[in-house]
Amino acid sequence: MPDESAMSTGEAARNLARLLQTPGGGVGWLDRTETAFVAPPASGAMGEEAGGAIGNYRLIEQLGEGGFGVVWRAEQQEPIRREVALKVAKPGTLNTPRRVERFLREAKSAAQLRHPHIVPLFEAGRDGDRYYIAAAFIAGHPLDREVRDGRALDGRRAAQVVRALAEALAYAHAQGIVHRDVKPANVM
């Protein structure tokens, strides 16, 4: 697939539509997600536990884990009490000043996005040696769970997903931002 920064919105939508289809019932792109959504374990990969805290956030339950980090449902504490999705970087992921700078720059850019199909980012920060991103918590489950075990989306639902993704990506691209990790596990 071509580099997405060089694609037009129409090309991106057509490629996404093609990827959402699994011709002949074979294994499709949606069946090979890189981030698994698992039942929440008692503690995260870095020793965090439900009830613990990172920065101003109390951890409630682990939602998932990927190459970059672990995602928790958490509650922001005083003065603003709200439920958030807290993504905590794994040790070693941000192990150079350049990587930390890039992480913070990307978070700052993403926090400027205002679109109905893009999850709002509230804060990026550091607690000791742990970096995190706090974003709006979206109840439900990611797209990869809808298509697990070879189940296909019906045509109407697939079209809704493709349209929402194309609109969100087009908006982000117009702001100069390229999402480098578009996959079903990152779509709610």
Side-chain angles (χ1 to χ4, degrees):
M1 199 158 115
D3 176 43
E4 62 183 316
S5 63
M7 275 191 259
S8 71
T9 303
E11 290 172 309
R14 284 189 295 280
N15 283 332
L16 187 55
R18 181 182 49 79
L19 291 171
L20 285 170
Q21 296 174 353
T22 307
V27 175
W29 175 73
L30 289 176
D31 300 317
R32 297 188 310 264
T33 59
E34 296 173 27
T35 303
F37 186 88
V38 295
S43 65
M46 296 152 294
E48 291 95 5
E49 294 188 11
I54 294 177
N56 192 33
Y57 300 92
R58 184 179 59 81
L59 305 177
I60 298 171
E61 69 175 316
Q62 185 177 329
L63 299 174
E65 183 175 343
F68 175 81
V70 176
V71 180
W72 289 86
R73 183 168 63 94
E75 180 183 37
Q76 185 175 11
Q77 301 299 292
E78 300 291 336
I80 300 170
R81 289 202 177 270
R82 63 178 160 192
E83 200 168 44
V84 301
L86 191 70
K87 187 171 189 176
V88 183
K90 288 181 179 177
T93 315
L94 301 174
N95 57 359
T96 67
R98 185 175 178 192
R99 286 182 179 179
V100 171
E101 180 184 326
R102 180 177 172 181
F103 166 77
L104 295 174
R105 185 177 59 245
E106 288 179 2
K108 184 177 179 179
S109 295
Q112 303 307 310
L113 299 176
R114 301 286 184 268
H115 189 275
H117 301 303
I118 297 176
V119 176
L121 191 145
F122 300 139
E123 174 187 23
R126 179 180 179 182
D127 180 16
D129 61 351
R130 297 176 299 184
Y131 288 87
Y132 61 86
I133 294 173
F137 174 76
I138 307 297
H141 56 270
L143 181 61
D144 66 337
R145 294 214 27 214
E146 285 192 49
V147 295
R148 197 173 273 169
D149 302 323
R151 293 185 311 224
L153 297 177
D154 68 57
R156 181 172 295 230
R157 175 73 176 127
Q160 290 170 339
V161 170
V162 169
R163 180 179 180 165
L165 282 172
E167 289 173 358
L169 291 171
Y171 169 79
H173 288 190
Q175 309 305 310
I177 296 174
V178 175
H179 191 304
R180 298 178 306 125
D181 198 21
V182 177
K183 59 188 176 186
N186 290 340
V187 176
M188 294 296 288

